[in-house]
Amino acid sequence: MQILRMTSKLRPALRNILFPVLAATLLLAGRPSSSQQAPTISAEVKVVNMLATVRDKHGKIVPKLTKDDFTLEEDGRPQTIRYFSEVTGLPLTLGLLVDTSLSQRLVIDQERAASKNFLVQVLREDKDKAFLIHFDREVELSQDLTSSGQKLEAALDALNTPQLNPDRGSDSPDSSPGPGRGHGRRAAGTLLYDSIYLASNELMKKQTGRKAIIVLSDGVDRGSKEGLETAIESAQRADTLVYSILFKSDEEHRNRGGFSGPGMGRGGMGRHGGGGQRPQEPHPDGKKTLERISRETGGGFFEVSKKQTTEDIYNTIEQELRGQYSLGYTPQKTDASPAAGYHKILLQTKQKDLAVQTREGYYAEP
């Protein structure tokens, strides 16, 4: 796959962190805690690790389960859970991906304030770290990985949306980016898929332990070089959960005048930042897009409303991150290792009224 060309502001911050990743270590979502260290495993044995959250029929997180409470299948074949622990104390790497396109201009202040409070509550000094990316017609790394709350807060304070073009009155799809356009007058675009791809492939992939991305957007992509499937696959390969928070502005939806974003397929990929976009579907559904991303990566989907505020949603995500289980298994097949490609995972509890939230599969490297 062709490497995505990054903007001038994103490139320097990521250049220093790129290095070859041994994919054969295969999706290290979390490791057993020090009190439950796994035995040494030979390099030839491929261990699949996954994070899971369990809820009862009332939506409350269920703690203190054991591996004997679960059943696990890979591609329809029963598997044996070898490693199991609650992971409340394991380090967390967190990424915030904030949509700063025109469609979000009425909610950016709300996103900023809630994100600040969330980071203060979740990040533990000298143990957890986070980064901030914002995306519109470009994808920019506003703050590289850090455990400093002050740096993250400063980066959030600097977020802004482009000014409304008085000649068009909307985030018009045909206002192509021109040379020299800066933050004050960025052209239209919402590179949602590219932002997930970059965050996963260039930042999260080299991290170990628990990893989660939180996307704040209306879910409608316009102009990404990467497709939806590629974005999801990059998060799965980086073993990263994606939580989506849907922000919709009725006013902005009307102002767009029915403009359709690009479709969800892989399609032809054009120049990063505009031009040569994939074919657009007639009525893009941002909600379905975000739901799919979160479902297939094992994260959660939330929609901001009068009944569920941004603060409520962040509190729920915090509870999930503090109440996860880490499971590990060695695929039991006739050959020594799983075949290259995608493998479907089905994790359930023996207690039928409990719901398990985890990723739907993983990619094995050749």
Side-chain angles (χ1 to χ4, degrees):
M1 180 182 298
Q2 184 179 4
I3 299 298
L4 181 69
R5 183 171 68 84
M6 291 168 280
T7 66
S8 59
K9 291 191 176 183
L10 180 58
R11 187 186 298 111
L14 293 182
R15 181 188 297 126
N16 295 332
I17 65 174
L18 297 177
F19 69 96
V21 178
L22 296 177
T25 55
L26 194 58
L27 306 172
L28 294 176
R31 297 178 178 176
S33 62
S34 57
S35 62
Q36 296 178 317
Q37 290 185 351
T40 302
I41 307 170
S42 66
E44 289 77 17
V45 177
K46 295 183 181 295
V47 177
V48 178
N49 289 284
M50 52 198 301
L51 293 172
T53 301
V54 180
R55 294 182 178 274
D56 62 21
K57 60 183 179 181
H58 303 292
K60 293 183 179 180
I61 294 177
V62 180
K64 300 181 180 179
L65 296 177
T66 70
K67 67 178 182 179
D68 295 330
D69 293 312
F70 293 86
T71 62
L72 176 65
E73 293 182 0
E74 179 185 305
D75 297 332
R77 301 181 180 91
Q79 305 292 324
T80 300
I81 299 173
R82 297 185 61 187
Y83 313 112
F84 182 92
S85 66
E86 294 190 67
V87 296
T88 54
L90 290 180
L92 172 67
T93 302
L94 187 68
L96 283 183
L97 276 55
V98 182
D99 184 345
T100 51
S101 64
L102 270 175
S103 65
Q104 299 294 284
R105 77 174 200 267
L106 300 181
V107 296
I108 189 68
D109 290 337
Q110 180 184 358
E111 294 175 350
R112 180 188 294 113
S115 297
K116 286 182 182 179
N117 293 334
F118 173 72
L119 292 174
V120 169
Q121 294 173 6
V122 171
L123 294 184
R124 297 162 296 180
E125 189 175 358
D126 299 327
K127 191 167 188 178
D128 302 326
K129 50 190 175 181
F131 63 88
L132 174 66
I133 283 177
H134 83 86
F135 60 94
D136 39 61
R137 65 171 286 265
E138 298 175 339
V139 180
E140 294 184 323
L141 181 64
S142 300
Q143 174 57 55
D144 204 347
L145 281 165
T146 181
S147 58
S148 170
Q150 291 182 338
K151 290 182 179 180
L152 291 165
E153 183 174 343
L156 284 167
D157 284 335
L159 291 180
N160 65 89
T161 57
Q163 296 177 3
L164 190 66
N165 189 332
D167 296 330
R168 299 187 182 275
S170 66
D171 194 4
S172 176
D174 55 357
S175 56
S176 58
R181 300 184 82 168
H183 283 284
R185 184 72 72 182
R186 296 192 294 272
T190 310
L191 306 190
L192 169 63
Y193 305 155
D194 284 354
S195 71
I196 295 174
Y197 175 84
L198 284 169
S200 301
N201 201 49
E202 312 293 1
L203 283 165
M204 286 297 198
K205 194 172 184 179
K206 75 169 189 176
Q207 305 302 315
T208 59
R210 295 186 298 149
K211 296 177 280 187
I213 285 173
I214 299 177
V215 178
L216 299 90
S217 176
D218 63 3
V220 178
D221 184 286
R222 304 192 197 104
S224 279
K225 181 176 181 179
E226 305 297 340
L228 175 59
E229 285 84 359
T230 303
I232 293 173
E233 180 179 332
S234 67
Q236 291 171 329
R237 289 185 181 275
D239 210 18
T240 300
L241 308 177
V242 180
Y243 288 88
S244 301
I245 304 179
L246 175 63
F247 284 84
K248 288 195 302 185
S249 169
D250 292 337
E251 176 184 335
E252 290 301 327
H253 179 74
R254 290 192 299 269
N255 285 342
R256 284 198 296 266
F259 162 61
S260 303
M264 296 184 185
R266 287 180 182 268
M269 294 184 294
R271 181 168 55 89
H272 176 57
Q277 300 174 4
R278 300 182 310 279
Q280 300 169 0
E281 62 180 19
H283 302 286
D285 191 328
K287 181 176 181 178
K288 288 184 178 179
T289 297
L290 294 178
E291 285 177 332
R292 178 181 173 187
I293 292 171
S294 294
R295 181 181 67 253
E296 295 188 15
T297 60
F301 168 82
F302 305 90
E303 182 173 357
V304 177
S305 65
K306 292 181 180 179
K307 293 183 179 180
Q308 190 174 40
T309 66
T310 314
E311 289 77 11
D312 295 334
I313 292 171
Y314 268 136
N315 287 336
T316 300
I317 295 175
E318 179 186 2
Q319 292 173 7
E320 288 196 9
L321 293 175
R322 295 186 186 280
Q324 293 173 316
Y325 296 98
S326 176
L327 303 91
Y329 71 98
T330 302
Q332 297 178 359
K333 294 190 175 183
T334 54
D335 53 358
S337 61
Y342 185 76
H343 296 274
K344 189 79 172 177
I345 295 174
L346 178 61
L347 180 68
Q348 296 177 311
T349 60
K350 295 176 181 178
Q351 189 173 335
K352 298 304 181 183
D353 59 348
L354 299 182
V356 179
Q357 176 182 308
T358 190
R359 58 180 173 170
E360 295 186 343
Y362 73 97
Y363 282 89
E365 302 296 335

